Amino acid sequence: MSEERYPPDEGAPSAAERLQQAVGAVTDRMALASGGLFLLLAVYIGADVILRYGFGLSTAASDEIGGYALAVGGALAFAYALRAGAHVRIDVLLPHLPAPARALLSWAAMALMAVFAVLLAVAVWRLALDSYQTDARAVSYLRTPLVLPQALMALGLTVLGVEAVVSLIAAAVESARTGRLASPGGTRSEDLPARDQEL
Amino acid sequence: MGLGFPALAIAALLMLAAFLLGLHVASTLGLLSVTLFAWFSDRPILDLLGLIAWNANTSFVLVAIPLFILMGEILLRAGLSERLYRSLSAWLNALPGGLLHTNIAACATFAAVSGSSVATAATIGSIALPAFRARGYDERIVVGSLAAGGTLGILIPPSINFIVYGVLMEVSIGRLYMAGVVPGLLLSLLFMAWILVVGVARPSIAPREPAVAWQQRLIALLDMIPTAFLIFLVLGTIYLGVATPTEAAAFGVLGALALALWSGGLTRAMLKEVFRATARTTAMVMLILTGAFILNSTLAFLGVPQALTQAVAAWDLTPTEMVLILVGFYLVLGTFMDGFAMMVTTIPVVLPLLKAMNIDLVWFGVIAVILTEAALISPPEGLNLYVIQGLRKGGGGRSGTILDVWIGVLPFLVIMLFAIWLIIVFPGIATWLPTTMRGE
């Protein structure tokens, strides 16, 4: 059940819109997986503590597994949060600027987010590859092959980069069609409830 | 090596400009740090970047963050807060100021199961605002009390901001939590005292509500049991030393889930919304934190903390003067910057200053969190102002402009400053309770 954030204006959706919808469907599922992962983690940690106090048993691995879940769960949701407009931008000046300047700054913000995402993705993929080649394992009795969580984290960062680039492409197509500069991510700030669940 | 102050100043100005232009905070922190690093060092940046990102994202202390977010999202939809609000109003209604006191008390109580100020303002605001409709209360003090009361979410534990502060400052989260309890209660009482004073001085702002019979008040207490149970589950276990904050957060999630199940609110569709909202907020926090850790490592690598430590000795300031300067700095920054982003961005620079002056980091953490609260409600920019304004508009009918909220929060903002002053003059307000913890 993906949310239709970008209903086509009229007629059949363009290729760029279809691409954006396809990426949106993927990021929505990744967000559900991320939330579900944290729920499973809570059940696991809760059970671990109860077993520790009640029966003197413990997996003694909740620190390690919790860390992996955070890295993977957070990264899987990066792209979804970008589309939902949840990544913080200071909007003290933005609303007072003329529309073309606002669109230009949205382009700059989205482009820099793409660069940041790609940089991080490359760095973490290299880390994962390195862990794979040297068979790096956690210093715990689980001896977890680190490549597994690292590759999943890198995957989340990669999709963040894809989401940023795809929204730039869609904005470029939209700009060409309408003849005026469109903001990447469209009119999302008006569509969605104001950053309602942030800190 | 050796980044001079001019370079640091240029970096700070660039960062400020990027923030003001509305670039994402996370990417600004990350990219500016990488640029600084590449400029002043010839070490391969990519290897370090991967390690920094990996280590920042796998810290077990930070695992508490998504769990507390998840707990809050479940509670928002579990119907717990309606019962809480009704039950508190039965006790507080008869005071001059009427239902306004319940706004503060409900926020303070909900804050004890919520780690976020925005979530607290949104949860209590969505219940309170309809209750005030057509009752003859002064609109400004209604919205002001909700926006300000909501900020208690991060001062009264559990608190996501204390977790982040604790990780960046390397202080125990449990001690920070306990340090926040008394100041949180103090701030709530000060807010209510103000409402009482206004209620007596200008009776026109709030109608006198009929007193509720004692029998009904006692019955209303029953509705508090689920909340009390959750508070014990989360805070009691930390205080007694039974659970770490992360483990307490896991208990909180399970408790919230049980309550949602009991109230019949637990459905497939609800869970999906909970998952999406949790994913969204967690991703927001973790991406900014990743950027902050990159900045942290870069500054450390360039020797900025040592340079600051040396410089601060030359400034010849007393610790109190230092703290007052920081308070002023954060107040100004908070008028236009998001409170969370503000703290995460500045802590790497502020930490060496505090350490050099032997300032108690737990005590300062409480002040920093109250300053973050102030940032959330200091006009013109402040997330809580917009949360409450959004709820007003969403309620249908005619509603005033954001100006009502701006004016309404001002007295509460002044009270926050007064609370900071009290904590500076009487540090024990913050430092006493942590000393009574088990294992201290």
Side-chain angles (χ1 to χ4, degrees):
Chain A
M1 193 184 81
S2 73
E3 283 171 278
E4 291 280 328
R5 286 265 155 79
Y6 296 86
D9 299 338
E10 70 254 357
S14 71
E17 280 166 340
R18 281 206 307 274
L19 177 63
Q20 214 174 12
Q21 278 169 4
V23 175
V26 172
T27 57
D28 187 63
R29 286 191 175 83
M30 287 167 74
L32 291 176
S34 159
L37 183 64
F38 291 132
L39 183 62
L40 286 179
L41 180 67
V43 172
Y44 163 64
I45 293 179
D48 196 59
V49 177
I50 290 168
L51 284 177
R52 189 172 75 213
Y53 281 100
F55 307 94
L57 296 167
S58 171
T59 61
S62 61
D63 288 23
E64 186 184 349
I65 289 176
Y68 300 150
L70 177 65
V72 172
L76 285 182
F78 284 157
Y80 176 80
L82 182 64
R83 180 163 299 197
H87 290 302
V88 179
R89 298 172 65 188
I90 313 289
D91 42 11
V92 62
L93 286 186
L94 285 183
H96 308 291
L97 295 177
R102 223 166 39 224
L104 204 63
L105 287 173
S106 290
W107 271 85
M110 195 57 89
L112 287 174
M113 181 56 95
V115 173
F116 183 51
V118 169
L119 202 62
L120 277 179
V122 170
V124 178
W125 274 122
R126 279 171 51 120
L127 188 69
L129 192 66
D130 190 53
S131 298
Y132 177 72
Q133 283 165 345
T134 60
D135 193 27
R137 284 164 186 269
V139 279
S140 68
Y141 79 91
L142 286 183
R143 311 257 309 124
T144 315
L146 287 176
V147 59
L148 293 176
Q150 285 169 350
L152 283 170
M153 181 179 171
L155 179 71
L157 287 162
T158 308
V159 179
L160 174 66
V162 169
E163 167 68 31
V165 170
V166 165
S167 78
L168 285 172
I169 294 173
V173 170
E174 176 74 7
S175 305
R177 194 174 65 82
T178 59
R180 60 182 182 82
L181 195 59
S183 293
T187 53
R188 138 183 83 211
S189 52
E190 289 95 63
D191 293 347
L192 288 176
R195 316 190 314 220
D196 57 341
Q197 295 302 319
E198 289 169 24
L199 294 179
Chain B
M1 287 262 187
L3 172 69
F5 275 103
L8 188 63
I10 292 171
L13 282 178
L14 275 178
M15 193 179 289
L16 194 65
F19 287 164
L20 285 177
L21 290 177
L23 305 182
H24 291 99
V25 170
S27 55
T28 302
L29 290 175
L31 291 177
L32 202 65
S33 308
V34 169
T35 313
L36 272 179
F37 193 94
W39 192 279
F40 289 100
S41 152
D42 44 14
R43 283 188 55 177
I45 180 86
L46 273 179
D47 295 348
L48 269 165
L49 201 60
L51 266 180
I52 295 168
W54 172 248
N55 288 338
N57 280 276
T58 48
S59 141
F60 185 65
V61 181
L62 291 177
V63 176
I65 292 178
L67 298 182
F68 278 129
I69 293 171
L70 178 59
M71 176 186 175
E73 294 296 342
I74 297 171
L75 287 180
L76 179 67
R77 296 164 177 83
L80 171 92
S81 29
E82 278 104 337
R83 283 195 292 271
L84 172 70
Y85 195 87
R86 226 183 309 125
S87 142
L88 284 169
S89 73
W91 285 82
L92 299 168
N93 249 359
L95 291 169
L99 208 49
L100 293 169
H101 292 287
T102 306
N103 286 356
I104 303 297
C107 282
T109 315
F110 192 76
V113 289
S114 163
S116 144
S117 285
V118 171
T120 304
T123 307
I124 302 301
S126 64
I127 296 151
L129 280 172
F132 278 98
R133 202 155 293 144
R135 271 180 111 141
Y137 281 85
D138 178 74
E139 186 77 12
R140 285 175 176 169
I141 194 163
V142 171
V143 290
S145 63
L146 286 170
T151 66
L152 293 166
I154 56 172
L155 180 59
I156 296 177
S159 155
I160 290 168
N161 293 58
F162 272 137
I163 298 176
V164 170
Y165 178 93
V167 167
L168 288 173
M169 291 280 201
E170 294 170 9
V171 199
S172 141
I173 314 292
R175 286 187 59 206
L176 283 167
Y177 274 9
M178 291 313 139
V181 172
V182 178
L185 294 176
L186 174 75
L187 196 54
S188 317
L189 289 177
L190 288 174
F191 286 165
M192 288 171 73
W194 166 252
I195 291 171
L196 195 71
V197 168
V198 179
V200 171
R202 291 177 43 211
S204 62
I205 62 139
R208 288 309 291 260
E209 302 277 350
V212 177
W214 277 100
Q215 197 185 357
Q216 276 170 298
R217 287 190 187 179
L218 292 175
I219 293 171
L221 274 187
L222 291 178
D223 277 337
M224 299 279 295
I225 292 175
T227 314
F229 164 70
L230 265 187
I231 293 176
F232 170 75
L233 209 55
V234 175
L235 296 186
T237 51
I238 299 176
Y239 183 74
L240 295 173
V242 177
T244 65
T246 303
E247 291 166 349
F251 282 149
V253 170
L254 299 179
L257 212 56
L259 285 181
L261 195 64
W262 177 59
S263 71
L266 192 69
T267 62
R268 221 181 127 85
M270 175 265 201
L271 262 188
K272 279 188 165 180
E273 277 320 298
V274 165
F275 285 173
R276 287 194 181 100
T278 304
R280 204 161 55 218
T281 311
T282 304
M284 183 276 286
V285 173
M286 291 314 295
L287 199 60
I288 287 195
L289 271 180
T290 305
F293 274 100
I294 299 172
L295 176 71
N296 216 342
S297 309
T298 304
L299 292 184
F301 191 76
L302 297 177
V304 171
Q306 295 91 313
L308 282 172
T309 307
Q310 283 163 11
V312 84
W315 294 345
D316 199 26
L317 291 169
T318 67
T320 311
E321 283 165 352
M322 185 76 237
V323 169
L324 287 178
I325 291 173
L326 288 175
V327 168
F329 167 71
Y330 280 128
L331 282 175
V332 173
L333 216 55
T335 56
F336 63 90
M337 238 187 122
D338 174 68
F340 173 68
M342 171 178 95
M343 281 301 155
V344 165
T345 309
T346 52
I347 281 175
V349 179
V350 169
L351 177 61
L353 299 181
L354 297 174
K355 272 192 174 160
M357 307 207 92
N358 271 325
I359 292 169
D360 182 343
L361 294 180
V362 170
W363 171 77
F364 187 78
V366 171
I367 293 177
V369 164
I370 300 179
L371 287 165
T372 311
E373 289 186 80
L376 283 167
I377 57 165
S378 53
E381 271 303 298
L383 268 181
N384 269 26
L385 306 172
Y386 288 94
V387 169
I388 296 300
Q389 179 64 10
L391 288 173
R392 268 172 107 197
K393 282 201 295 204
R398 57 194 171 77
S399 64
T401 66
I402 186 85
L403 198 66
D404 290 332
V405 195
W406 287 355
I407 295 172
V409 293
L410 286 180
F412 297 100
L413 202 54
V414 174
I415 293 170
M416 280 183 186
L417 294 185
F418 176 62
I420 290 176
W421 180 79
L422 281 177
I423 292 169
I424 291 175
V425 179
F426 306 105
I429 296 171
T431 54
W432 168 72
L433 194 60
T435 60
T436 69
M437 279 172 82
R438 281 271 298 269
E440 279 295 317

